[in-house]
Amino acid sequence: MTNIPIDYLQIVLQENIPLSDEEIAHIDKQRKEFFKNTTGILMAGTLLIMAIAYYFIQNELINFRYYVLFVFAGFAMFSFFYLIVWLTFRNFKKNWEKDIRHGKNKLSSVIISRHKTENDEYMLTFAGRHKGEKFRIPVKKADYYRYETGAKVLVTYLKYSKEALELSNL
């Protein structure tokens, strides 16, 4: 990370700007698509794991009650993973509701660092209004490669969902 001279007096943060109907529709679309394929993917994964386990222990399942326990273990595994996905959805849903209630933020700032994660998430870190204050927001791949470190930009983002809605030059 290079040292970039930052004029903290030029950094402006506007908070709680009401969302447009299009942005609310985008959040609703994300909410509806979250569970779209979850059950099928979890079912396929559970059946695959159960088939592999059955292949290795098929000679051990000589009694009917062991088959019942084996099937119960499959349902328990499916339920456990479904619970994890459901809890994740509740967390996202809570953040989406906060974003709808509080609105979006606009930050006129400088990009102080760029980071690409191993899961192909592209993160830009923006300088805050005070020394040491940073805003790390995931952006689209095209925006990540368009703006270099030190660029002065205007980013519109959802505070709780940590999603950049718009990124433009100043």
Side-chain angles (χ1 to χ4, degrees):
M1 189 165 106
T2 52
N3 291 332
I4 300 166
I6 299 171
D7 184 8
Y8 291 102
L9 297 175
Q10 292 183 355
I11 295 175
V12 178
L13 175 64
Q14 298 172 352
E15 297 180 309
N16 303 332
I17 301 167
L19 295 174
S20 67
D21 292 337
E22 180 182 298
E23 292 162 340
I24 292 174
H26 175 70
I27 291 173
D28 286 337
K29 181 182 175 189
Q30 285 180 325
R31 186 181 309 174
K32 290 176 185 173
E33 289 183 355
F34 191 87
F35 270 116
K36 189 175 184 179
N37 300 324
T38 302
T39 306
I41 292 170
L42 284 177
M43 186 70 73
T46 302
L47 289 176
L48 179 66
I49 291 171
M50 294 293 289
I52 293 169
Y54 179 76
Y55 175 76
F56 287 114
I57 64 169
Q58 64 186 351
N59 294 334
E60 305 296 327
L61 297 175
I62 55 175
N63 196 343
F64 179 72
R65 78 174 167 205
Y66 292 128
Y67 281 109
V68 172
L69 288 173
F70 186 74
V71 170
F72 178 74
F75 283 125
M77 185 171 54
F78 175 81
S79 300
F80 174 73
F81 289 122
Y82 194 84
L83 175 68
I84 291 172
V85 171
W86 182 75
L87 290 172
T88 303
F89 174 73
R90 282 193 48 196
N91 184 39
F92 280 118
K93 186 178 175 184
K94 180 184 68 168
N95 288 338
W96 290 326
E97 288 171 355
K98 284 182 187 177
D99 283 330
I100 290 172
R101 190 171 45 243
H102 294 283
K104 60 188 174 186
N105 293 349
K106 281 189 179 183
L107 177 66
S108 171
S109 183
V110 176
I111 298 174
I112 56 174
S113 72
R114 300 166 26 143
H115 179 70
K116 178 183 170 192
T117 67
E118 58 193 32
N119 297 326
D120 273 348
E121 291 179 323
Y122 299 91
M123 309 290 278
L124 293 179
T125 305
F126 303 93
R129 294 176 288 183
H130 309 288
K131 188 171 182 168
E133 183 180 18
K134 300 175 186 175
F135 295 96
R136 191 171 194 194
I137 302 171
V139 296
K140 296 175 189 163
K141 184 177 182 178
D143 289 335
Y144 178 82
Y145 287 115
R146 186 178 317 141
Y147 299 103
E148 294 294 325
T149 304
K152 294 181 181 179
V153 295
L154 175 66
V155 61
T156 305
Y157 67 97
L158 298 174
K159 181 178 182 179
Y160 299 101
S161 298
K162 295 290 185 189
E163 179 183 353
L165 299 174
E166 185 181 348
L167 189 62
S168 60
N169 282 329
L170 275 180

